[in-house]
Every structure is written in C-alpha cells, then in structure tokens.
Amino acid sequence: MTHPPNAPAAPAARGTAQAPARPGGVPAQPSPAPAAAPPAGRGAWAVGRERLRVAATTEPGRLQILGAVLALLVVAFGAVSALEVSDRASAADDVVGRSQPLSADAAAIYRSLADADTTAAAGFLAGTLEPAESRARYTRDITTASRLLVKAAANTDGSSESAREIATINEQLPRYTGLVERARAANRQGLPLGGAYLRYANQQMAGTLLPAAERLYAAETVRLQRDDESARTWPFLSLALGLLALAVLGWAQRRNYARTNRVFNHGLLAATAATSVVLLWLVGAHTVARGGLESARLHGQESLQVLNTARISSLTARANENLTLVARGAVLTEDGKNDKYEAEYTASMAALTDALATARERADDDAGRGPVDESAEHAAEWRERHKDARAKDEAGDYEGALGRVIGAEQSTGRSFDQVDAGLERALAHEQTEFTRAAGDARDALTALPLGAAALGILGAAGALLGINRRLSEYR
C-alpha cells in the first residue's frame, strides 16, 4: 500500500513572530527596560517635586532653578514695591486733595454758622430796620454754609459719622433761619417777642447746629490723621523683599565666581543694579515723603487746628456779647447769680487768649506770627472796650453800651472784625504752608510705582540672561 508523504509541520500560531537569525559570534543584547510609569495615585505636585529633585542633581538643572528663583524674587520686589508705594501715594494725595480740604471746609462751615448767628444778633441790636450790610453778611454766611455742606456730602461716605452730622445740620438749618426771620419780623414791628425768637434761634444754633458742625470737623480731622498715618507708614514688605533679592543675587554671583573664576556676570550685575536702584529710590522717596508730611503736620495742620479754635472762640464770644444786650439779664447761669451770656463771653475770651498764645508758639516764621500778634493785640483791645460797655449797661446807659458794642468806631464789633481778619490771614498762611509741604511729600512718591515695576522687569530679564549665559556653556 502506498502512503502519501508526510505533511510539513503546522506553521506557528498567527501573531507569533520568529526571532531573526543572529550572526555567529554576536552576543545577545539585553532588551531595553520599558519606561517606568509614575506610580498610580501620584498627583501633579508629587511628579513636579520629583522632577525638580532630579533636575537639582545636575549643574544645568541647578542653574535653571536659580534663574527662576532670581527672576521671581526681583519681579516680586518690583511688583510689591509698586503696589505699596501706590497705596502710600494715594493716601498722600488724599491728604492734599481730599482729607485736609474737607477738614478745612468743616471748620469753614462752623465759622459761617457762628458768624451768621453773631450777625443776626448784631442786626437785631441795630434797631427795627436791620442794616443792609448786616443782612447781606448773614445771607452770605448761610449760603456759604449750605454750599460747603453740599460739597462735604458729595465727598463723604453715606454711612459715616460725617454724613450723619451733615444730615443733622441740613435738617436743623432751615428751622434756625425760620426763627431768625420771625425775630426780624417781630423786631420791625417793635414787639418784644422778637428778642425771644432770637434767643430761641441762638439756642438752636448753640445747642444743635454748632455742636454738629464741631463733630463734623472732628470727624474730618480724624480722617485726615488716618490718611496721614497711612501715607507715612514704611513699606516693610517691599524693603524686606528688596534686601532678600539683593542677598540672593550676591550669593549667586559669588557662586558663579567660585565655579568659573569669572568676576562679573553682566546679566546678574544688571539685575543687582536694578534692584539696588529700586531699593534706594524706595528708601529715599519714602524718607522725603515722611519728612514732608511731618512738616505739614507740625507747621501746618496743628497750627490750623489751633487757629480754628481761636476763630471759633472769637465768634462765640462775639455772639454772647451781642446776646447779653439782647437778653438784658433775662437769662442767668444755673446758679442764678450771673448773666449767662456774659459768663460764656468771659470763657470764650479766655479760650481765645490761650489759643492765640499757642498759635504764636507754633508759627515757624514772621509771616505766620505777624497776623497772630495783631489778633492778640486787638483781642486785648476788645476786652477793654467790653468792660467799658458793660459798665455803661450796668449804670443804666443802654444806648451808650449799645454804641460801644455795635458802633462804627471804637466799638467791640470793630475789635472783633480786626481779630477775625488777622486770624483769617494767619489761616491762609498756614494753609499754604500745609499744602506746599504735603504736596512735596506726594510728589516724592509719584513716579516710584511705575519706576519700580519697570526696573523689576528689567532686573528679572537681566537675571535670566545672566543664568542663560552660564547654561550656554553646557550645550
């Protein structure tokens, strides 16, 4: 029986590759190990930290890390300096352009209200027909106070203490003016009721309006002090970052010299120069700004506060002096022994004397002392004329006393006007001194934020260029 030949062996299973023949004498090569995948569950932070650790084992990797740190430090120093100085410059600008003017406006509101009250009483004493000049002065005072109240309200937060005081004055001022008009109407008719209405108006002014105006002035003065302190606060974070950046830059250059024996790296040297300029500029500008603000406070704002106190005291004294004749002894002190308005006049004149003495001590030049000395001289003259008027009134010479109080010449009213004029000149001088000193402080900080940001960017670029110069030596 014939058998067919044996069939060839079945081919290898599909997909199984045969190993290629290896030439004789060639040793077997080990297969490359597959790339290790990151362990399951490791986050991006862990992977990044591992790569950073691996990079730090080589000099190029260390240089890259150093360059990133230097650039970050210098940029952070420039950015933080720009932000902090911008904040100080903004506060200094508020001192010059908002806080101090609002404080001055609040003092002017008080002065206008007090002068209106004084003028109303003087007009009442002049007779049944009030002089046109007196009425025009009263109207001007009320208009000025109303205008400044609108200005203050526009620049004040609606929930602040200042806003509440402004609302109080706005609410009570029409009531006061209404009482004054009733007093005038009764006075024209020769009715004694006019004096009662005028006393009620004065009580409204002294008990509600002037205290609210005084609190408004105090609140605005506190805000001025707060802005002044903010502007003078040292930028400690910027200074610390600047010193740290300089220290790291110095260490980097020393490291570079130790490894290459090259004295200078131009990029790192430029970064150091830029950082040093910003740091010195920061210290110098802030020192100048602090000095200017300190001068504005000592020789401007404090003098203004004392002069405002003196002016308020003179206005209060004048109003009480007029009301002494209006009331004719009808209003007594709480103990019932003395005339109320005469006692308050005496207290206000004492406060005026003390304030003028303090203002003279704080005046730093003859231009500031001159008007204060004139006011003090006329205040002494006022006291003597007032004694003469009181002597005539107590002797029963009412018309003689009236002439000594509201007369055109040799009267206490004339002395009061001269005191007020001197105080106004002194206030104008101190206001100019304050604005000049505070303006110089603000100007010292004006260009620094932009300069710090620009130099910070240039310094970071210099640091990166210096490190890249070293990296190029490894390529």
Side-chain angles (χ1 to χ4, degrees), residues 108-150:
I109 290 171
Y110 190 106
R111 189 262 174 196
S112 297
L113 293 175
D115 190 66
D117 193 51
T118 299
T119 305
F124 186 90
L125 290 172
T128 57
L129 185 60
E130 183 179 7
E133 180 183 354
S134 176
R135 186 172 183 86
R137 180 171 176 173
Y138 169 83
T139 303
R140 185 169 58 251
D141 286 334
I142 295 298
T143 302
T144 299
S146 300
R147 176 178 56 81
L148 292 177
L149 283 169
V150 172

Side-chain angles (χ1 to χ4, degrees), residues 61-113:
R62 287 192 288 268
L63 287 174
Q64 289 177 340
I65 295 172
L66 180 59
V69 170
L70 289 174
L72 181 62
L73 272 176
V74 176
V75 167
F77 172 50
V80 172
S81 296
L83 290 174
E84 285 199 313
V85 175
S86 293
D87 180 68
R88 272 54 171 188
S90 177
D93 187 64
D94 284 343
V95 167
V96 178
R98 190 184 68 171
S99 302
Q100 203 283 326
L102 283 177
S103 177
D105 286 347
I109 290 171
Y110 190 106
R111 189 262 174 196
S112 297
L113 293 175

Side-chain angles (χ1 to χ4, degrees), residues 396-413:
D397 185 5
Y398 178 79
E399 292 299 328
L402 187 62
R404 296 296 289 170
V405 172
I406 64 172
E409 298 293 337
Q410 303 297 317
S411 67
T412 59

